[in-house]
Amino acid sequence: MSIVVRTLSEQIFTIVREQIVSGKLPVEQAIRQDALANELGVSKIPLREALARLEQEGLLTSQANRGFFVRAMSADEAVEIFALRQAIEPDAVAAAAIAATEQDQEAAKAALKALDEAAAAHLDDVAARNRDFHTALVRPAKRLLTLQLVERLQVMSERYVHKHLEPAGREDRAHLEHEVLLEAWLARDATRARGLAAAHIEGTLSDLRRQLGR
């Protein structure tokens, strides 16, 4: 029975996270757990488990006797998240480019294809597929702690990535940057891959500063 509950909680977690990232759940308003449970067709127990996990991910906050709230995005948080990514990710991408096996390279190509398909037809999936692509460029280095940190920062980046892609033309630019980055990575050009990853992160942050008013 416990296995079923955990599986259901995981499914709820994924659905609610997508609603948060896409902006479907209002910011700084108490989540109506009864209504959400009814909408999803689940009981409140696995829903609360999923909401607690989303709080650990930094997407929700909770207040005693008031429940869970979607955290507002902020320029300060964006700067902190992307500064941490800048400090960790480019070097990890460079190391992984050298260490990648043929299987790793195929996985990275598949991740970019899935991201492009989401951008064309499933916009709500773009942030998650973007996360998959960036982690695919880091995983082959087999630096477990680094990978865990990158994955965590990617999850925290998702709402900001979604926000960043709102203006017309941003998706096309991101696609080109990803293509060039992957090309360098597949060629095992660690120096170029490092520089492109750093420029990609910095460019996204610069856009977000303007969008979020900092």
Side-chain angles (χ1 to χ4, degrees):
M1 181 62 182
S2 61
I3 293 176
V4 174
V5 171
R6 282 199 298 271
T7 301
L8 182 57
S9 177
E10 177 70 27
Q11 292 172 346
I12 296 167
F13 169 83
T14 300
I15 293 169
V16 177
R17 185 174 69 181
E18 289 174 355
Q19 292 184 354
I20 295 170
V21 170
S22 65
K24 291 179 180 177
L25 280 179
V27 172
E28 295 183 334
Q29 292 184 26
I31 293 174
R32 297 174 57 204
Q33 294 185 40
D34 289 334
L36 185 55
N38 288 335
E39 176 188 333
L40 299 176
V42 300
S43 71
K44 290 180 67 174
I45 294 174
L47 175 60
R48 279 197 296 266
E49 291 176 356
L51 295 178
R53 183 177 167 194
L54 287 162
E55 183 178 21
Q56 293 176 346
E57 296 283 356
L59 294 174
L60 299 178
T61 60
S62 63
Q63 298 179 21
N65 302 318
R66 295 193 64 198
F68 292 92
F69 298 76
V70 176
R71 288 188 62 214
M73 288 189 291
S74 72
D76 286 344
E77 182 177 68
V79 169
E80 185 172 7
I81 291 170
F82 281 82
L84 288 168
R85 284 187 60 188
Q86 190 70 276
I88 297 169
E89 209 168 313
D91 284 342
V93 167
I98 296 170
T101 64
E102 184 176 336
Q103 184 177 5
D104 293 327
Q105 292 183 336
E106 290 302 317
K109 288 189 280 188
L112 182 56
K113 181 180 178 182
L115 172 56
D116 290 342
E117 289 173 350
H122 305 287
L123 293 179
D124 286 350
D125 293 336
V126 167
R129 299 293 78 78
N130 182 75
R131 180 185 75 232
D132 292 343
F133 172 66
H134 282 281
T135 53
L137 298 184
V138 170
R139 187 172 290 108
K142 293 182 171 57
R143 299 177 177 178
L144 180 58
L145 180 56
T146 297
L147 178 60
Q148 290 173 342
L149 289 171
V150 168
E151 288 178 333
R152 168 76 169 154
L153 291 169
Q154 284 290 335
V155 168
M156 297 180 72
S157 294
E158 284 187 4
R159 284 201 295 168
Y160 293 99
V161 169
H162 194 278
K163 181 72 174 176
H164 172 255
L165 294 176
E166 285 179 357
R170 288 274 176 82
E171 185 61 56
D172 291 339
R173 193 189 84 189
H175 169 74
L176 291 174
E177 290 178 1
H178 286 150
E179 275 197 328
V180 174
L181 172 56
L182 179 61
E183 181 182 347
W185 191 85
L186 292 172
R188 303 186 190 281
D189 187 340
T191 300
R192 180 165 168 75
R194 180 189 291 109
L196 289 169
H200 178 61
I201 294 168
E202 182 58 38
T204 301
L205 177 57
S206 294
D207 291 338
L208 284 167
R209 283 179 185 270
R210 288 190 291 272
Q211 284 173 267
L212 297 171
R214 176 173 170 179

